[in-house]
Amino acid sequence: TNTVIHAAIGGIIGNMESGKITKNDSGKRGSVTGKITVNSHSEDSGQWHAIAGIAGFVAETVEEISDVDVMATNESAISVEMAPAKSNVYTAGFVGYIPTALTLKNLVNNMPVSYKVNGQSTSDRLPYVSGGCGRTLAAITMDNCTNNGDITVEGTKMTVELDCGGLLACHHTAHGQ
């Protein structure tokens, strides 16, 4: 059996290690359209999974993400459906998981974001669901950021806490699980 320790999935980039995302030299904003879907029907033993419209995971050397529209069409959505996970799952419109300080500027999410767990969850691992950011571990700046997408969470017999928010699901100022 193969075990996925971390999964980072994004509409522009899955795992962003450095640099920045911003408008091009002609001043045109970036955009993401389409559908991001993750279906996992087995209990995984990974540590975390980050799924988002722009970037799944953002590392410490990333400077800024700005001027991007996550656009909605009739078929578009950021959708995660899983068996009860043994890992934290960060699902968001902008960025799934941010462990360091970051500036988010002029971002718009219009895509619906949904998370569904099939079965009883007894693990201490949590789902973090948001139109903006799933989870942050340091100070972030959100300047002129908007979520217009619906946020939906479904589950049967969920026995753990759930962090859910319009722009930010969970913010911790100290590192750790």
Side-chain angles (χ1 to χ4, degrees):
T1 304
N2 293 330
T3 300
V4 176
I5 301 299
H6 305 295
I9 302 164
I12 293 177
I13 189 166
N15 186 0
M16 187 172 177
E17 294 291 332
S18 64
K20 62 183 174 178
I21 297 173
T22 189
K23 57 187 161 187
N24 65 20
D25 293 339
S26 66
K28 184 173 177 168
R29 293 174 58 84
S31 66
V32 177
T33 58
K35 189 174 195 173
I36 299 170
T37 304
V38 176
N39 290 309
S40 174
H41 299 290
S42 63
E43 288 192 15
D44 63 73
S45 58
Q47 294 174 356
W48 56 261
H49 304 300
I51 303 99
I54 297 173
F57 173 81
V58 174
E60 293 180 13
T61 55
V62 173
E63 302 167 36
E64 174 183 306
I65 298 176
S66 66
D67 300 296
V68 179
D69 295 319
V70 182
M71 306 299 289
T73 63
N74 289 340
E75 298 292 319
S76 64
I78 300 166
S79 174
V80 176
E81 183 173 336
M82 303 185 83
K86 293 181 181 173
S87 60
N88 290 334
V89 180
Y90 313 106
T91 308
F94 303 148
V95 180
Y97 184 42
I98 305 170
T100 187
L102 180 67
T103 297
L104 303 172
K105 192 163 114 182
N106 301 323
L107 301 178
V108 177
N109 176 49
N110 291 309
M111 247 189 242
V113 178
S114 68
Y115 176 86
K116 180 178 182 181
V117 63
N118 295 312
Q120 183 169 354
S121 178
T122 58
S123 168
D124 64 346
R125 301 301 186 146
L126 305 175
Y128 300 83
V129 185
S130 170
C133 302
R135 184 176 186 195
T136 67
L137 295 179
I140 63 167
T141 300
M142 283 192 179
D143 181 9
N144 196 33
C145 294
T146 305
N147 174 54
N148 297 316
D150 291 337
I151 300 166
T152 307
V153 178
E154 292 181 58
T156 56
K157 300 180 183 177
M158 290 180 70
T159 59
V160 297
E161 78 177 73
L162 165 71
D163 290 318
C164 184
L167 280 175
L168 181 62
C170 181
H171 173 71
H172 292 280
T173 55
H175 286 278
Q177 285 293 79

